[in-house]
Amino acid sequence: AQKITQTQPGMFVQEKEAVTLDCTYDTSDPSYGLFWYKQPSSGEMIFLIYQGSYDQQNATEGRYSLNFQKARKSANLVISASQLGDSAMYFCAMRRPRGGYNKLIFGAGTRLAVHP
Amino acid sequence: DVKVTQSSRYLVKRTGEKVFLECVQDMDHENMFWYRQDPGLGLRLIYFSYDVKMKEKGDIPEGYSVSREKKERFSLILESASTNQTSMYLCASFTSTGRTGELFFGEGSRLTVL
């Protein structure tokens, strides 16, 4: 069965430093997609970055990059130069390979606190 | 700017009450979803709809039903609310023509059942 695991319930980082949030996934299908979302205290889920299983390069979006290691089935999110506004919950998610309609499976989330 | 709007941010209901959670999207998306979010469990899919009047069960449909009479509106219904349905509910939409296929989420509805 497909599964997403985020082993870090909470992380904290000093402002301006980089931080890595871990995500491992489990699937036997060769075609899948991986997403990271940010959820600030307001509650809205904000899409950050996407990595397709066949993408040759690691995805990057501004200060966000995805360290995709296919053989290890990991898709860690790297946030460079942390800002106070990065304090939030972060969720890793995988598009289910079968069944269509983009039903995502989510991990339990990691709460990131950025300290000044 | 894309928008998914959930009608109620906070609700308090009593056990046994019927509860309606409304969600509207203005992006003409075919697909809409209801997720439930609980600490330590992440988001779990309750129901989704891929077209008007079409619906499919997600991973945890028990105790819930949905309605999609118009493309832009997707309602989650708790026929008889119970305390274990106290949770944050998130509505999302998606279109297959999008670049990456990300879901667009509303701000959530936090439901407390007493």
Side-chain angles (χ1 to χ4, degrees):
Chain A
Q2 294 87 32
K3 188 178 178 182
I4 291 281
T5 302
Q6 294 179 256
T7 57
Q8 307 153 314
M11 292 276 287
F12 61 87
V13 65
Q14 207 73 25
E15 194 178 8
K16 299 180 185 176
E17 291 185 352
V19 62
T20 298
L21 305 183
D22 294 341
C23 173
T24 58
Y25 59 92
D26 187 19
T27 180
S28 57
D29 199 292
S31 176
Y32 51 89
L34 296 157
F35 300 78
W36 276 93
Y37 280 85
K38 171 185 178 181
Q39 186 183 45
S41 56
S42 59
E44 185 178 1
M45 297 281 281
I46 302 167
F47 166 69
L48 296 178
I49 198 166
Y50 168 80
Q51 180 84 42
S53 59
Y54 293 121
D55 293 344
Q56 294 297 313
Q57 293 188 328
N58 286 349
T60 60
E61 292 283 352
R63 293 186 300 111
Y64 304 108
S65 60
L66 202 151
N67 184 2
F68 182 45
Q69 299 189 38
K70 201 168 181 177
R72 293 186 177 184
K73 294 189 175 179
S74 74
N76 298 340
L77 177 71
V78 180
I79 306 174
S80 63
S82 298
Q83 301 172 356
L84 296 179
D86 293 334
S87 294
M89 281 289 287
Y90 288 82
F91 291 95
C92 180
M94 178 172 65
R95 175 189 292 130
R96 297 176 207 224
R98 296 185 180 85
Y101 306 118
N102 206 38
K103 292 178 284 184
L104 299 188
I105 306 165
F106 285 83
T110 296
R111 184 171 297 280
L112 177 66
V114 180
H115 294 181
Chain B
D1 204 12
V2 298
K3 193 79 174 170
V4 178
T5 304
Q6 294 183 229
S7 55
S8 304
R9 293 295 307 275
Y10 301 95
L11 302 95
V12 179
K13 297 292 181 180
R14 296 206 174 274
T15 301
E17 279 192 79
K18 191 169 186 176
V19 181
F20 291 87
L21 300 179
E22 304 284 340
C23 175
V24 177
Q25 51 97 0
D26 64 359
M27 298 165 282
D28 202 36
H29 286 175
E30 319 86 67
N31 307 284
M32 296 187 74
F33 306 80
W34 276 106
Y35 280 88
R36 169 178 172 159
Q37 181 183 355
D38 298 289
L41 296 177
L43 281 72
R44 293 177 292 166
L45 182 63
I46 304 172
Y47 265 99
F48 76 100
S49 168
Y50 50 91
D51 202 349
V52 175
K53 296 190 185 296
M54 307 303 286
K55 61 187 179 186
E56 278 197 23
K57 294 179 180 179
D59 299 314
I60 51 165
E62 296 79 18
Y64 303 95
S65 62
V66 290
S67 171
R68 191 155 180 214
E69 296 296 319
K70 293 185 178 181
K71 191 175 185 180
E72 67 271 18
R73 187 179 298 270
F74 192 34
S75 302
L76 180 69
I77 303 156
L78 288 66
E79 293 288 343
S80 177
S82 63
T83 54
N84 62 12
Q85 292 178 310
T86 292
S87 187
M88 168 77 108
Y89 292 89
L90 290 161
C91 175
S93 71
F94 151 73
T95 179
S96 56
T97 59
R99 182 176 66 87
T100 61
E102 75 267 25
L103 299 186
F104 294 88
F105 283 87
E107 289 187 318
S109 298
R110 188 169 293 279
L111 172 67
T112 301
V113 182
L114 302 175

